[in-house]
Amino acid sequence: MSEIRVEQLTKTFGALRAVDDVSFTFPNGQVTCLLGPSGCGKTTLMRIIAGLETQTTGAVYFGDQDVSRLSPSKRNIGMVFQYPVVYRGISVYRNIELPLQSMKLSNAERARRVEDAIRLLGLSASANLDVSKLDNGTRQKVSVAREVARQPQFILFDEPITNVDAASKLQLKRSLKELTRSLSQTIVYVTHDQTEAMTLADQIALMEEGRIVQCAPPRELYNHPYDRFGGWFLGNPGMVFFTATLSGGENHRVLESPLFSLPVAVDGAAIAGSDITIGIRPEHIRVSPEPLPAGVPARLARKTVQIGGQYLLALDVHGLGDQGFKAKVAPTAGEHLPSSGQVNVELPLDQVSLFDAHGIRIAASLHPVGAPVAD
Ligand code: ATP
């Protein structure tokens, strides 16, 4: 096993740069999810790694080997697609066994591999059933088991859960999680679904317009987005943003916003200009019927309950113009709020991110003016 590396990879379709100068390493033995909105280039990047698409420029390496010119069959990879690829009319066992017949394996080794794959995917109860009789979630498991039994160098997954019936999605996701943990194989997993990526990935490579904008473990990506795009794309709903005013000199910068009852001191890296945006995750905004120590009055326009019992609140604050925003609170906090009317909101300063005029997050810490800086 080894890592997959792409260097200065570009793929154009006419004027469109589907993959735009990507240099990146998919680490050995880890699950890397390529996540991003529709059309950002995830599938094209994966297809280039598989050899199903030819790059316009750049190179693909498997370990030290340059595989850029090798055909897909010479790359020794497994692929799982959006729709299950199975042979109808034969059993689960035979589906998994068939591709192994063209490999030079002893009967015992072939049987061992099929049985291991069946066990890993939890398919024992359906091993002798005709695949036509299975739901499409179980069929997708058969597709995965077949690739696992071949023992390729890498496995590439292209949105394998997207077209599975809603009822089977969770179960398939769990199976894939268990499988990837026990395989410890280099896996590239394409998805546009952030919960899937959060569940399965060791690290998420977030893509936008043909580029990988950030790669980090799921929690880090969520808590410390590289830019506003990452803040907005992750989360349900994503981060909320407000313009704020930054004033003062290098050692005494002060941030003002209608959401702060008092000016806030800013410490940290150099900040060019005064054009600043503050961002916060909706679930970090405190909302209360009572006044809050550093809070401001707000109007609760709407309160709706979400799956899981949390409440989604539509709020506005005097001074923000027409900009309404969303907050998300736990069931107990939400139950104590009126369905609409006057409330109070507070932005905990340790949860507030700052973004510069280009939308890039600034490493900085915020604290009340006059208070000592927290470590
Ligand atoms: P989705 O989640 O919708 O599959 P994606 O992030 O996987 O999106 P790609 O399928 O890689 O995105 O497509 C990236 C861009 O390249 C899109 O604008 C798409 O329309 C375009 N594209 C992909 N394949 C081709 C092709 N064969 N010919 C022309 N344009 C293409």
Side-chain angles (χ1 to χ4, degrees):
M1 270 191 278
S2 55
E3 65 186 27
I4 301 172
R5 193 158 44 87
V6 299
E7 278 187 4
Q8 296 180 307
L9 208 63
T10 293
K11 176 69 185 178
T12 55
F13 294 108
L16 177 81
R17 293 174 87 81
V19 175
D20 188 4
D21 194 22
V22 172
S23 294
F24 186 75
T25 300
F26 297 85
N28 182 16
Q30 299 206 2
V31 181
T32 304
C33 281
L34 291 175
L35 175 70
S38 186
C40 70
K42 311 177 288 292
T43 300
T44 306
L45 176 54
M46 170 175 279
R47 286 173 61 81
I48 295 171
I49 292 168
L52 297 169
E53 197 79 70
T54 307
Q55 64 279 7
T56 309
T57 55
V60 180
Y61 293 87
F62 290 174
D64 292 333
Q65 189 192 7
D66 184 347
V67 298
S68 309
R69 311 253 157 246
L70 290 187
S71 66
S73 61
K74 296 255 167 56
R75 295 194 187 193
N76 188 19
I77 43 162
M79 273 206 87
V80 180
F81 299 94
Q82 283 192 17
Y83 290 95
V85 181
V86 287
Y87 308 104
R88 287 167 186 260
I90 58 173
S91 70
V92 166
Y93 191 102
R94 283 287 291 150
N95 258 277
I96 301 168
E97 187 183 39
L98 260 180
L100 305 186
Q101 287 183 326
S102 56
M103 297 165 76
K104 289 184 186 123
L105 301 174
S106 67
N107 289 347
E109 171 64 6
R110 192 162 61 236
R112 189 187 62 75
R113 287 200 191 184
V114 176
E115 281 153 24
D116 281 353
I118 284 176
R119 184 179 43 77
L120 278 170
L121 270 302
L123 287 166
S124 303
S126 33
N128 296 316
L129 295 181
D130 181 336
V131 286
S132 323
K133 303 219 160 39
L134 306 175
D135 63 75
N136 73 348
T138 314
R139 277 192 216 136
Q140 189 63 301
K141 282 192 192 177
V142 176
S143 302
V144 177
R146 209 179 36 230
E147 298 307 292
V148 168
R150 287 179 44 238
Q151 298 188 353
Q153 203 179 354
F154 311 110
I155 305 185
L156 314 182
F157 290 87
D158 189 4
E159 309 227 15
I161 296 180
T162 303
N163 292 305
V164 167
D165 307 326
S168 312
K169 270 190 198 307
L170 191 62
Q171 221 234 332
L172 181 56
K173 199 164 22 176
R174 274 201 207 113
S175 293
L176 290 179
K177 174 87 182 168
E178 281 166 25
L179 175 78
T180 54
R181 288 294 163 270
S182 53
L183 285 181
S184 298
Q185 194 162 19
T186 310
I187 287 174
V188 183
Y189 190 106
V190 164
T191 181
H192 64 269
D193 180 334
Q194 53 174 298
T195 29
E196 208 172 305
M198 289 278 176
T199 310
L200 293 169
D202 291 310
Q203 64 264 313
I204 298 175
L206 184 64
M207 290 191 72
E208 183 189 20
E209 295 180 356
R211 290 173 170 267
I212 293 176
V213 283
Q214 185 178 10
C215 180
R219 273 285 125 201
E220 193 182 322
L221 194 81
Y222 188 78
N223 291 332
H224 305 291
Y226 168 72
D227 61 6
R228 282 182 58 165
F229 166 73
W232 164 80
F233 185 75
L234 295 168
N236 181 24
M239 201 174 246
V240 289
F241 301 101
F242 311 94
T243 52
T245 313
L246 189 69
S247 57
E250 196 159 315
N251 297 320
H252 184 67
R253 281 178 303 226
V254 172
L255 192 64
E256 288 180 71
S257 158
L259 288 151
F260 298 145
S261 54
L262 292 168
V264 167
V266 180
D267 289 296
I271 302 170
S274 58
D275 191 0
I276 290 286
T277 302
I278 57 180
I280 187 162
R281 296 272 173 212
E283 64 272 26
H284 291 149
I285 299 174
R286 288 193 193 121
V287 186
S288 167
E290 321 298 339
L292 292 161
V296 294
R299 187 180 71 90
L300 175 59
R302 209 168 42 258
K303 175 171 107 167
T304 44
V305 71
Q306 292 204 303
I307 294 170
Q310 293 152 316
Y311 286 87
L312 192 63
L313 312 172
L315 295 153
D316 48 72
V317 162
H318 182 69
L320 286 177
D322 292 338
Q323 188 194 354
F325 61 97
K326 297 273 189 330
K328 199 156 79 171
V329 296
T332 41
E335 279 153 22
H336 287 99
L337 291 169
S339 50
S340 63
Q342 185 72 35
V343 292
N344 297 278
V345 298
E346 184 182 59
L347 273 48
L349 295 182
D350 58 351
Q351 301 291 355
V352 172
S353 296
L354 294 191
F355 297 89
D356 69 14
H358 305 288
I360 310 297
R361 199 168 65 85
I362 304 161
S365 72
L366 309 183
H367 56 95
V369 167
V373 183
D375 285 335

Short mmCIF file of all heavy atoms in Angstrom, two decimals, residues 13 16 18 37-45 53 159 190 192, ligand 1:
data_model
loop_
_atom_site.label_atom_id
_atom_site.label_comp_id
_atom_site.label_asym_id
_atom_site.label_seq_id
_atom_site.Cartn_x
_atom_site.Cartn_y
_atom_site.Cartn_z
N PHE A 13 -12.16 21.29 -19.99
CA PHE A 13 -13.15 20.89 -20.99
C PHE A 13 -13.47 22.18 -21.74
O PHE A 13 -14.22 23.02 -21.21
CB PHE A 13 -14.42 20.33 -20.34
CG PHE A 13 -14.21 19.04 -19.60
CD1 PHE A 13 -14.25 19.01 -18.20
CD2 PHE A 13 -13.97 17.85 -20.27
CE1 PHE A 13 -14.07 17.82 -17.51
CE2 PHE A 13 -13.79 16.65 -19.59
CZ PHE A 13 -13.84 16.64 -18.20
N LEU A 16 -13.57 25.53 -19.75
CA LEU A 16 -13.80 25.24 -18.33
C LEU A 16 -12.61 24.49 -17.71
O LEU A 16 -12.15 23.49 -18.26
CB LEU A 16 -15.06 24.36 -18.20
CG LEU A 16 -15.39 23.91 -16.79
CD1 LEU A 16 -16.12 25.01 -16.03
CD2 LEU A 16 -16.24 22.65 -16.82
N ALA A 18 -12.03 22.20 -15.05
CA ALA A 18 -12.75 21.33 -14.10
C ALA A 18 -11.84 20.99 -12.91
O ALA A 18 -12.29 20.88 -11.77
CB ALA A 18 -13.22 20.07 -14.79
N PRO A 37 -19.40 21.40 -3.52
CA PRO A 37 -20.69 21.52 -4.21
C PRO A 37 -20.65 20.88 -5.60
O PRO A 37 -19.56 20.61 -6.14
CB PRO A 37 -20.90 23.03 -4.31
CG PRO A 37 -19.56 23.64 -4.11
CD PRO A 37 -18.73 22.69 -3.34
N SER A 38 -21.81 20.68 -6.15
CA SER A 38 -21.92 20.07 -7.47
C SER A 38 -21.12 20.87 -8.50
O SER A 38 -21.18 22.10 -8.52
CB SER A 38 -23.41 20.06 -7.85
OG SER A 38 -23.56 19.37 -9.04
N GLY A 39 -20.34 20.16 -9.30
CA GLY A 39 -19.59 20.81 -10.38
C GLY A 39 -18.22 21.35 -9.98
O GLY A 39 -17.53 21.96 -10.79
N CYS A 40 -17.78 21.08 -8.73
CA CYS A 40 -16.49 21.65 -8.29
C CYS A 40 -15.30 20.84 -8.76
O CYS A 40 -14.15 21.24 -8.57
CB CYS A 40 -16.45 21.83 -6.77
SG CYS A 40 -16.38 20.27 -5.88
N GLY A 41 -15.53 19.66 -9.36
CA GLY A 41 -14.42 18.90 -9.95
C GLY A 41 -14.04 17.63 -9.20
O GLY A 41 -13.05 16.98 -9.55
N LYS A 42 -14.83 17.22 -8.22
CA LYS A 42 -14.50 16.04 -7.41
C LYS A 42 -14.38 14.78 -8.27
O LYS A 42 -13.40 14.05 -8.21
CB LYS A 42 -15.58 15.78 -6.33
CG LYS A 42 -15.98 16.96 -5.52
CD LYS A 42 -17.09 16.63 -4.54
CE LYS A 42 -18.47 16.39 -5.13
NZ LYS A 42 -19.10 17.58 -5.71
N THR A 43 -15.45 14.54 -9.05
CA THR A 43 -15.48 13.30 -9.84
C THR A 43 -14.39 13.32 -10.90
O THR A 43 -13.74 12.30 -11.15
CB THR A 43 -16.88 13.12 -10.48
OG1 THR A 43 -17.83 13.05 -9.43
CG2 THR A 43 -16.96 11.87 -11.32
N THR A 44 -14.17 14.48 -11.51
CA THR A 44 -13.13 14.55 -12.54
C THR A 44 -11.77 14.23 -11.93
O THR A 44 -10.99 13.45 -12.52
CB THR A 44 -13.12 15.95 -13.19
OG1 THR A 44 -14.44 16.24 -13.67
CG2 THR A 44 -12.14 16.03 -14.34
N LEU A 45 -11.49 14.75 -10.76
CA LEU A 45 -10.21 14.46 -10.10
C LEU A 45 -10.09 12.96 -9.82
O LEU A 45 -9.06 12.35 -10.08
CB LEU A 45 -10.10 15.29 -8.81
CG LEU A 45 -8.87 15.05 -7.94
CD1 LEU A 45 -7.58 15.21 -8.73
CD2 LEU A 45 -8.86 16.02 -6.75
N GLU A 53 -10.14 9.23 -17.04
CA GLU A 53 -10.09 10.55 -17.68
C GLU A 53 -8.60 10.90 -17.80
O GLU A 53 -7.82 10.57 -16.90
CB GLU A 53 -10.80 11.54 -16.76
CG GLU A 53 -11.21 12.83 -17.38
CD GLU A 53 -12.50 12.71 -18.20
OE1 GLU A 53 -13.59 12.53 -17.62
OE2 GLU A 53 -12.36 12.81 -19.43
N GLU A 159 -19.48 8.74 -4.75
CA GLU A 159 -20.83 8.94 -4.21
C GLU A 159 -21.61 7.63 -4.08
O GLU A 159 -22.72 7.52 -4.62
CB GLU A 159 -21.61 9.94 -5.08
CG GLU A 159 -20.83 11.22 -5.32
CD GLU A 159 -21.64 12.48 -5.10
OE1 GLU A 159 -22.72 12.39 -4.50
OE2 GLU A 159 -21.17 13.54 -5.51
N VAL A 190 -15.52 10.32 -2.87
CA VAL A 190 -16.15 11.55 -3.37
C VAL A 190 -17.56 11.67 -2.84
O VAL A 190 -18.34 10.71 -2.91
CB VAL A 190 -16.19 11.53 -4.92
CG1 VAL A 190 -17.15 12.57 -5.45
CG2 VAL A 190 -14.81 11.77 -5.50
N HIS A 192 -20.87 14.88 -2.04
CA HIS A 192 -21.26 16.28 -1.84
C HIS A 192 -21.98 16.41 -0.50
O HIS A 192 -22.44 17.48 -0.16
CB HIS A 192 -22.14 16.76 -3.00
CG HIS A 192 -23.44 16.01 -3.06
ND1 HIS A 192 -23.60 14.88 -3.81
CD2 HIS A 192 -24.60 16.19 -2.40
CE1 HIS A 192 -24.82 14.41 -3.63
NE2 HIS A 192 -25.45 15.20 -2.79
P1 ATP B 1 -21.20 16.48 -9.02
O1 ATP B 1 -21.24 16.37 -7.52
O2 ATP B 1 -22.38 17.20 -9.58
O3 ATP B 1 -20.90 15.19 -9.70
P2 ATP B 1 -18.42 17.21 -9.29
O4 ATP B 1 -17.84 18.09 -8.23
O5 ATP B 1 -18.10 15.78 -9.23
O6 ATP B 1 -19.97 17.46 -9.38
P3 ATP B 1 -17.42 17.10 -11.96
O7 ATP B 1 -18.37 16.03 -12.37
O8 ATP B 1 -16.00 16.70 -11.76
O9 ATP B 1 -17.94 17.84 -10.66
O10 ATP B 1 -17.50 18.27 -13.03
C1 ATP B 1 -16.70 19.43 -12.92
C2 ATP B 1 -17.08 20.35 -14.08
O11 ATP B 1 -16.64 19.75 -15.30
C3 ATP B 1 -18.57 20.56 -14.21
O12 ATP B 1 -18.81 21.88 -14.63
C4 ATP B 1 -18.97 19.58 -15.31
O13 ATP B 1 -20.10 20.04 -16.01
C5 ATP B 1 -17.73 19.58 -16.19
N1 ATP B 1 -17.53 18.31 -16.89
C6 ATP B 1 -17.31 17.11 -16.33
N2 ATP B 1 -17.13 16.15 -17.26
C7 ATP B 1 -17.24 16.79 -18.46
C8 ATP B 1 -17.14 16.35 -19.83
N3 ATP B 1 -16.90 15.08 -20.13
N4 ATP B 1 -17.32 17.28 -20.79
C9 ATP B 1 -17.55 18.58 -20.48
N5 ATP B 1 -17.64 19.06 -19.22
C10 ATP B 1 -17.49 18.18 -18.22
#
